[in-house]
Amino acid sequence: MREKRVNSDIPFLPQEIIRNVLKRLPAKTLIRFQCVCREWRNLFRTKSFIADHLGHSNNQNPGLLFQFFDGGDPLNLYCLDSEMQVWEFPKPPLHDYLKPDKIVGSCNGLLCVQINDPHVSPHPLLVWNPSIREVRLVPAINFHQDYEDYNIGFGFSPIINDYKIVIACNSQCYTEISAVQVYSLISGSWRELQFSLNCTECLSDESVTVNGIMFWLGSKRVGKDTDDDEVQIVSFDLANEVFTSIATPKLHLWTTLTVYEEKLAIVSCMTNSELSVVDLWVMEEGVHASGEIWSWTKRYTSNPYPCWLYPQTIWRNEIVCTADIENKPTAVLFNPTTKRIKKHVIMKCDCGPDILNYAESLVPVGGMKSLQIFCMASTHS
């Protein structure tokens, strides 16, 4: 009986090396690689590999998602990748009667999308992972009364390993939060939250989540007989579902919340006579001499920039502002470390964009309730 010989010319790679190579590939490539073998298909679905791939994607290949509102297509999306290339972003694969209105949140490769339905308030929502082409329709909310003004937050809590959507509704006079509903991706259902705040609050449209805590810019009326408002930050712990109010430093008119070095940060911009100055504040946690748990440190102030700027977010540790330069929406990037400034023209459009951070991921949108949509892949390779 002849002995079988192993071909010594075929190289053998340890599983650790194979896994290290695979986690660096785009999510769409890994989806195609599922047909290579059962071992790879099972690997791509494990929590540990999904987390490793997401970590590499966030650190090495983060993108900026530009959302334009030009009066025509309500959801006009483009992505600026880590190589500073702009490409058209796919739209949610929905039926014609479902019209995506805007992206209200981005977290770990998942996008929370609001659907335009004039007959329903709040508008219906869906959670969408463009990389693996999964979309999950979120059930409608049953509020006890109609609210015309509400704010939506979308974030992830590593403590409970769950994604949540938070909707805070304001009273009819827009002076306080009257109702809060929380949706869990794990449970697949909404729950009305019994809550309390130490002061009357009205929240901004955008939220940001850092280490499982969701933050909004909020305002409270200084006194009953005045129209002056005091800016505060409202935090919501996604794990224990508790609200807290946090004082802010003295800020300029144009202000946004963002994340810098995995900490909550504020980008504030002062514009005067077509010159703009950008400040970066970072929140530090710990008990201080004043007794406060949180404190603010100003990390950066730019030199005057000859244009009106609108702060948006932080991307790859650079402050991103938008500006209308020569009638073209332009992203202006300030680097607080090197002090360098970069400009990148996105495209000509009637209106400047909203900007969100985005990274490809393999994170599923949830069990049997997810709907796999086979659609045309993005033209971006």
Side-chain angles (χ1 to χ4, degrees):
M1 187 173 184
R2 287 188 178 180
E3 187 181 50
K4 286 187 177 181
R5 290 187 177 181
V6 178
N7 189 348
S8 60
D9 295 334
I10 299 177
F12 172 78
L13 292 177
Q15 290 299 317
E16 293 79 8
I17 295 180
I18 294 176
R19 178 174 176 142
N20 192 38
V21 172
L22 291 174
K23 77 175 184 181
R24 301 169 185 272
L25 299 179
K28 296 172 185 177
T29 301
L30 297 179
I31 295 301
R32 294 198 299 267
F33 282 2
Q34 289 185 114
C35 62
V36 172
C37 63
R38 182 181 301 176
E39 183 179 359
W40 281 15
R41 183 171 68 251
N42 293 336
L43 173 65
F44 299 158
R45 298 175 182 177
T46 62
K47 292 182 180 180
S48 60
F49 183 82
I50 291 173
D52 287 347
H53 179 267
L54 175 62
H56 186 272
S57 184
N58 273 326
N59 293 327
Q60 301 298 324
N61 301 305
L64 275 181
L65 199 58
F66 290 78
Q67 180 175 209
F68 289 90
F69 304 94
D70 58 4
D73 189 346
L75 195 60
N76 196 3
L77 303 176
Y78 292 84
C79 188
L80 176 67
D81 61 27
S82 56
E83 298 179 355
M84 303 301 288
Q85 299 297 315
V86 177
W87 46 277
E88 188 172 0
F89 200 79
K91 294 181 175 62
L94 299 173
H95 296 290
D96 291 339
Y97 62 87
L98 295 176
K99 300 295 184 182
D101 182 44
K102 65 178 295 187
I103 295 174
V104 295
S106 173
C107 181
N108 292 345
L110 303 186
L111 302 176
C112 183
V113 183
Q114 182 173 274
I115 301 172
N116 187 11
D117 189 341
H119 304 293
V120 179
S121 181
H123 291 322
L125 300 169
L126 60 87
V127 180
W128 171 42
N129 186 331
S131 299
I132 61 176
R133 308 177 199 173
E134 281 190 4
V135 60
R136 177 175 181 170
L137 295 175
V138 176
I141 308 175
N142 185 20
F143 275 118
H144 298 305
Q145 56 181 306
D146 292 332
Y147 294 94
E148 295 182 358
D149 186 68
Y150 54 89
N151 306 95
I152 303 174
F154 175 60
F156 173 73
S157 171
I159 295 177
I160 57 177
N161 195 32
D162 192 10
Y163 293 83
K164 290 187 176 182
I165 301 173
V166 181
I167 295 186
C169 294
N170 294 330
S171 62
Q172 293 181 353
C173 54
Y174 307 108
T175 58
E176 63 181 4
I177 301 174
S178 302
V180 175
Q181 289 267 2
V182 179
Y183 174 82
S184 162
L185 206 62
I186 289 180
S187 68
S189 60
W190 290 96
R191 185 170 61 85
E192 188 165 359
L193 182 66
Q194 301 299 320
F195 68 96
S196 63
L197 280 172
N198 295 329
C199 54
T200 301
E201 302 285 352
C202 185
L203 303 183
S204 61
D205 291 335
E206 293 81 19
S207 69
V208 61
T209 301
V210 187
N211 299 322
I213 301 179
M214 188 175 292
F215 298 92
W216 284 275
L217 275 175
S219 62
K220 71 171 183 176
R221 190 59 50 86
V222 175
K224 294 182 179 179
D225 301 326
T226 177
D227 292 332
D228 294 334
D229 291 337
E230 179 181 305
V231 177
Q232 284 195 332
I233 289 176
V234 175
S235 71
F236 180 73
D237 192 310
L238 293 174
N240 58 36
E241 298 185 342
V242 173
F243 283 99
T244 306
S245 295
I246 303 170
T248 66
K250 188 175 181 180
L251 303 172
H252 302 307
L253 177 62
W254 304 107
T255 301
T256 189
L257 295 180
T258 183
V259 182
Y260 184 73
E261 296 178 346
E262 299 184 1
K263 297 178 182 179
L264 179 68
I266 296 176
V267 179
S268 185
C269 185
M270 177 182 66
T271 298
N272 186 14
S273 301
E274 297 188 356
L275 290 175
S276 299
V277 175
V278 178
D279 290 338
L280 171 64
W281 293 86
V282 178
M283 190 170 70
E284 308 290 344
E285 184 177 0
V287 180
H288 302 275
S290 62
E292 293 290 335
I293 299 177
W294 311 102
S295 68
W296 293 96
T297 302
K298 184 184 285 190
R299 294 284 195 90
Y300 171 76
T301 297
S302 73
N303 292 324
Y305 191 80
C307 182
W308 283 67
L309 295 174
Y310 304 94
Q312 294 277 352
T313 187
I314 287 180
W315 178 59
R316 302 172 69 187
N317 284 336
E318 294 185 325
I319 301 170
V320 181
C321 297
T322 54
D324 189 8
I325 300 177
E326 297 179 353
N327 296 322
K328 295 180 180 179
T330 303
V332 183
L333 280 64
F334 297 85
N335 191 311
T337 303
T338 65
K339 314 298 183 183
R340 293 182 59 190
I341 298 176
K342 293 184 291 186
K343 291 193 302 182
H344 196 286
V345 177
I346 305 305
M347 62 184 52
K348 189 172 182 178
C349 187
D350 293 338
C351 183
D354 285 344
I355 303 179
L356 303 95
N357 284 274
Y358 172 76
E360 288 191 350
S361 81
L362 299 171
V363 176
V365 298
M368 297 299 293
K369 293 182 182 294
S370 64
L371 175 64
Q372 186 74 32
I373 304 293
F374 295 95
C375 60
M376 295 296 293
S378 169
T379 55
H380 174 66
S381 57

